[in-house]
Amino acid sequence: MKSIAKLLLLLIISISFIYFMHTKNILDVKSLAYAVENNKKYLFLISLLQILNCLFMTFRYHSLLKIFSIKTNLQNVTAATFVSNGIGLWMPGSLAIIEVIRISLMLGAHYQKSDNYSNMTQIKNSNLAELAAKSKLAAAALFDRLIGFFVMLFFGSITTFIIYIQTIHLNDTLYSKNLLILFFLSFILMLIIIVVPFLAKSIYFRRFVERVERLFLTTFKSGKIHLLFKKIFGEINSLLDVISLGIRSIRSFWGPIVYSILCLIMAVFGTYFSSIAISNPIPIHAIFATVSILSIASLIPMGFGGVGGMQLIAVLLFSIFGISPQAASSAQLLQTSVNLLAITGIGLLFARLSAGQIRAILDARKKETAVS
């Protein structure tokens, strides 16, 4: 019931955001209606680009699973990717939800390959195998997103810096300042993605985290604050363990990087054609510069299905490049809506392929319950 209440609350927030933008003339509803009535070819093109984006994401994830020595066929990975995106895109903090669903479906594929267990020893061994599979799947999922974000931030940083160099002579102090802020934000986030895997592998850094954890837990020896810090540091240590597992294979990441570049191109042109559909084109360089921050912002639960909060962030980011609020919010909302419908539709088609994986998960849970 709590989950349903949260979803209803986020739906209300999304509707409130849309109403606010409409009443403040930030969102151009007429341009959206025009796109739906007169530019169906662009809507189809946006759908196609999003499907291709999801397909390249599948290839990237599949290549990472091979790097982490997880044997699975492309059909299972494709079904898991499209189904998880079809469901997860509707959820707040969609990227995180997508990965949780995809890992669960991939575990279902792992269960499908497992034999029936006839005694306690075999079940215990299967639980150990599941734990190892979960760790590898979590590492693959995490590096799948980290590589995607790294590529977007890399191209975003370069694009922003080039624009800054080309426009510095205009003596527009505010424009230059905003470009520098966007550049440093993208560049610093990119550096964090580069540095964190090496820190996770560092013995000295892990000892430092351990000492900080001990300090907090001894300072707050009991109560809810103690439990909160214990949970936070538990999550941090689990994350560092997963990252240190992935850093061992960093030299094999060229394939996933290439697929990430293709995903970036699909996403950028999806936004570009959305702006053309509403007859208010957004320059390609502005999209390249901002797409990474918009993608990272989707981790924050700001509304149902990415509707509402994401459009306001798009308005803020695109305003740096002189894009009108109406163009930014309308193009972003159109792309989000088309993406949701396209991927949900394909996800439903692939759901049949995932039926076996879902049944395998439920059967495995029943066996665990029976044993316990």
Side-chain angles (χ1 to χ4, degrees), residues 111-272:
Y111 288 133
Q112 277 184 297
K113 294 195 298 182
S114 302
D115 296 324
N116 292 324
Y117 305 108
S118 56
N119 58 55
M120 183 70 73
T121 303
Q122 286 178 309
I123 290 172
K124 286 181 178 178
N125 290 336
S126 75
N127 289 338
L128 290 173
E130 179 191 344
L131 184 62
K134 276 183 178 178
S135 298
K136 288 183 177 181
L137 286 168
L142 180 61
F143 275 86
D144 179 64
R145 292 303 177 182
L146 287 177
I147 291 170
F149 284 140
F150 170 78
V151 168
M152 286 189 287
L153 290 165
F154 176 77
F155 281 96
S157 299
I158 290 177
T159 303
T160 308
F161 186 72
I162 291 172
I163 297 169
Y164 174 75
I165 295 297
Q166 290 177 340
T167 58
I168 196 170
H169 66 278
L170 297 177
N171 295 322
D172 189 338
T173 307
L174 181 60
Y175 182 48
S176 299
K177 182 181 177 181
N178 288 336
L179 281 175
L180 275 179
I181 291 172
L182 182 59
F183 167 74
F184 280 116
L185 178 60
S186 300
F187 188 73
I188 289 169
L189 289 172
M190 183 182 69
L191 284 182
I192 290 172
I193 290 175
I194 294 171
V195 170
V196 166
F198 293 98
L199 287 177
K201 196 178 179 182
S202 169
I203 296 173
Y204 301 106
F205 181 74
R206 297 302 293 268
R207 286 177 182 171
F208 171 75
V209 173
E210 186 180 336
R211 287 171 184 171
V212 173
E213 178 183 4
R214 195 182 303 124
L215 175 64
F216 275 94
L217 294 181
T218 51
T219 303
F220 305 97
K221 293 182 179 180
S222 60
K224 292 183 179 179
I225 297 178
H226 175 85
L227 293 174
L228 175 64
F229 279 118
K230 189 175 181 179
K231 184 176 180 180
I232 289 172
F233 281 104
E235 293 295 332
I236 290 172
N237 286 316
S238 297
L239 181 63
L240 292 173
D241 288 338
V242 168
I243 292 174
S244 62
L245 176 65
I247 195 67
R248 300 172 190 172
S249 308
I250 197 167
R251 293 181 180 178
S252 306
F253 287 165
W254 289 109
I257 287 173
V258 172
Y259 289 128
S260 294
I261 294 171
L262 293 172
C263 288
L264 173 62
I265 292 170
M266 298 299 109
V268 166
F269 278 95
T271 304
Y272 177 68

Side-chain angles (χ1 to χ4, degrees), residues 255-312:
I257 287 173
V258 172
Y259 289 128
S260 294
I261 294 171
L262 293 172
C263 288
L264 173 62
I265 292 170
M266 298 299 109
V268 166
F269 278 95
T271 304
Y272 177 68
F273 286 121
S274 294
S275 67
I276 290 178
I278 62 170
S279 303
N280 211 334
I282 298 174
I284 290 286
H285 66 262
I287 303 171
F288 266 107
T290 56
V291 68
S292 58
I293 308 300
L294 275 170
S295 296
I296 292 171
S298 66
L299 289 167
I300 306 169
M302 295 177 292
F304 188 76
V307 175
M310 289 297 295
Q311 285 70 50
L312 288 175

Side-chain angles (χ1 to χ4, degrees), residues 58 62 65-66 70-80 106 109 112-113 357:
T58 301
H62 188 239
L65 291 176
K66 287 182 179 178
I70 300 174
K71 294 181 180 179
T72 186
N73 59 53
L74 184 59
Q75 177 180 310
N76 285 332
V77 180
T78 305
M106 291 308 301
Q112 277 184 297
K113 294 195 298 182
Q357 292 165 256

